[in-house]
Every structure is written in structure tokens, then in C-alpha cells.
Amino acid sequence: MAPPRPYWKGYLKLSLVTCPVSMMPATSESEKVRFHTLNRKTNNRVVSRYVDAETGKVVDEEDEAKGYERGENEFLVIEDEELESVALESARTIDIEKFVPRNTIEWVWLEKPHYLSPSDEVGHEAFSVIRDAMEAEKVVGISRLVIGRRERAVMLEPCGKGIVVWTLRYGDEVRKPENYFDDISDGDNDPKLMSLVTSLIDERSKPWNPDMVQDPVQEKLKEIIESKRKSAKKGAKPKGKDEEPAYTGNVIDLMSALKKSLEKKSGGKSK
């Protein structure tokens, strides 16, 4: 099957080294079941329109503007020209500005991955040199890029023969973990409990497989849709969900629970 068409094409630049590249999102939601909002009476689709909050009248597209709220019901109108004035000079070049050790960027900063590859034979050598040099030094590149009319900070990471471009969250979007974890105890754990937990981990450890993250809800939705396509039967009741065990409020003996977990796995009693 032919790869999908790239949605972004431009240049990868490091100092005087430049090569043409193309980029595609590394993830896709095209297989997800999506629904439209319909008018139940006519079965026609419902369209969304912007409406003036005070007059209730529909706003024409040419009258729509971006506004920054400076107080209650007070806005500063920001024109498109003003937004463009602070944008990158080139929206088609990934200019690597700096390099940082890969192990210094935590997962929380990573947002969405994209695959980057050379777009013609001429650029293969320059692309592979930049990729392999980053791999050898165990570093990633930091740059900026315009995606979907929005300027983003990005991280370039070697990935096999290609490069993955991760969009990065901005500093004010990431909350500090200590604000949530500081009150959690990091005291000494009971060695017996640790032994039981590590035994459970060993027994349940398997090689990674994408099947581990299948979406059962999507599969069931597809079954419902296929059933409706094939049958005109009405009023069928959906199958009931498995009931969750009710919480009794009793304090569970952790040691006992872990031992029972191991017994259930092995079919016998743990020592």
C-alpha cells in the first residue's frame, strides 16, 4: 500500500546543511468511529454557526475576529496582520537551533509525533548525516515550526532510518509533579510485600504488542453499525456491561490480597 501524501513539505536546516523533507503525523484517528449531529425529524445534518452572544444573530465569516479578554466582557481585538507579525519568518524550514541530551527531556513535554523523511534523492545524504550524528551523540534537536497555522516548539529525534518530530508543550502548559506527589510517602517498604509484588510483575511481564492497547469501545461501535446496516430490526437492547465489584468500604489486607493474586495465577497456594 502506498504511503499517504505528506501534509507538510519544507526543508531541514543545520547551519549550512539543508535538505528537502516531508512530514506526516505518526498517529492517525481516521479509523475511529465518528458521528454527525442530525435533526431527528428530517435526518438531515446540523451545521454549526457562530452567533452573537447578545443579539442572537448569526455572525458572517468576514466579521469574525480574535479577541483577548482583559476584563469581564471587555476584549481587545487582535487583527490577523498583528498575529502574522510575530510568526516565524519562514514557515517551511525546520532550522535546528540547539541540541540537548535526549535523556534530559521528560515524557510530559512530548505532545504529538510526526515522521520526517527526505523528499527527494538529492537530500538523502544530508538527512542521514544529521540523523546519524544525533544518534551517535545521543542528542535531539530543538527547533520551531509552523503547523496548522500555529507556531510550535519541536524536538527532532532519530528513529531508525528516519527522524521523529515531536511537538513540545510550552513551559506554562506543564504542571510541576511535586505539587501532586510531595505528600505521598516514600518510606521503607515491607520486604515481603515487595517480594510478592515483584513476583506478580515477573509473572505478568510480556513483550510489548500493539494489541495490548486495542480500543474495545470502537470495536463494539463498529459491530453495532454493521448490525444496523444488515438488519432492519428495531428496538434491540444493547448488551449489558460487566458489573464492577461494589466497594464495601472495608480495609483490604495488602499481604493477603497479593498472596491470593499469586495463588490465582499459579492455581495453588503461595508460600
Side-chain angles (χ1 to χ4, degrees):
M1 186 176 73
R5 293 177 59 186
Y7 90 115
W8 185 93
K9 296 186 75 172
Y11 296 90
L12 176 63
K13 183 174 183 290
L14 174 59
S15 188
L16 299 179
V17 179
T18 304
C19 63
V21 290
S22 57
M23 189 169 67
M24 280 294 297
T27 59
S28 171
E29 295 188 353
S30 61
E31 298 301 317
K32 294 285 188 183
V33 174
R34 299 182 183 278
F35 297 102
H36 295 287
T37 300
L38 306 178
N39 181 341
R40 188 183 294 276
K41 294 180 179 179
T42 64
N43 215 37
N44 296 330
R45 286 181 58 181
V46 175
V47 296
S48 299
R49 301 288 297 274
Y50 283 107
V51 177
D52 189 297
E54 298 297 326
T55 67
K57 294 182 179 180
V58 174
V59 180
D60 294 331
E61 186 174 350
E62 60 267 24
D63 292 327
E64 294 172 10
K66 292 180 174 61
Y68 174 80
E69 188 171 9
R70 62 176 181 179
E72 187 174 355
N73 295 323
E74 284 190 61
F75 300 90
L76 293 175
V77 175
I78 308 298
E79 301 295 345
D80 291 341
E81 294 78 10
E82 294 174 300
L83 293 173
E84 291 172 1
S85 69
V86 298
L88 283 174
E89 291 184 6
S90 173
R92 291 296 172 190
T93 301
I94 305 174
D95 190 354
I96 304 178
E97 301 166 351
K98 56 181 73 71
F99 295 94
V100 300
R102 174 62 183 92
N103 59 8
T104 62
I105 301 181
E106 297 181 77
W107 62 269
V108 72
W109 295 97
L110 307 182
E111 189 174 45
K112 188 175 181 180
H114 302 74
Y115 292 139
L116 190 73
S117 59
S119 57
D120 62 31
E121 292 290 336
V122 177
H124 277 219
E125 184 177 14
F127 182 91
S128 63
V129 166
I130 294 173
R131 175 202 64 206
D132 292 347
M134 287 195 293
E135 181 69 35
E137 295 297 316
K138 300 189 185 307
V139 297
V140 292
I142 303 297
S143 184
R144 294 181 299 159
L145 176 63
V146 175
I147 303 178
R149 299 184 66 182
R150 184 185 177 192
E151 184 179 316
R152 305 302 307 266
V154 295
M155 180 188 85
L156 289 82
E157 179 178 23
C159 178
K161 294 182 179 181
I163 291 175
V164 172
V165 177
W166 284 92
T167 53
L168 299 175
R169 293 184 172 89
Y170 292 108
D172 57 359
E173 295 177 334
V174 177
R175 295 173 176 173
K176 295 181 179 180
E178 52 267 28
N179 294 340
Y180 305 91
F181 299 156
D182 272 358
D183 292 337
I184 300 176
S185 172
D186 59 355
D188 296 332
N189 291 309
D190 186 329
K192 293 182 180 179
L193 291 176
M194 285 292 293
S195 176
L196 289 170
V197 173
T198 53
S199 295
L200 278 172
I201 292 173
D202 289 341
E203 289 182 358
R204 299 185 180 198
S205 294
K206 296 180 180 179
W208 163 253
N209 188 313
D211 289 340
M212 294 178 179
V213 288
Q214 292 291 343
D215 187 344
V217 173
Q218 289 292 311
E219 295 304 316
K220 289 177 181 177
L221 284 173
K222 290 177 182 178
E223 290 175 8
I224 291 172
I225 291 169
E226 187 61 25
S227 176
K228 283 182 172 290
R229 282 176 178 166
K230 293 181 177 179
S231 174
K233 185 178 178 180
K234 304 295 182 180
K237 295 182 179 180
K239 295 180 180 179
K241 296 181 180 178
D242 294 336
E243 292 186 2
E244 302 243 352
Y247 175 64
T248 61
N250 296 330
V251 178
I252 299 173
D253 184 330
L254 183 56
M255 180 73 77
S256 175
L258 289 169
K259 286 183 176 179
K260 287 180 180 179
S261 296
L262 289 170
E263 289 172 9
K264 185 177 180 181
K265 179 73 177 179
S266 62
K269 294 185 177 181
S270 61
K271 294 181 181 180

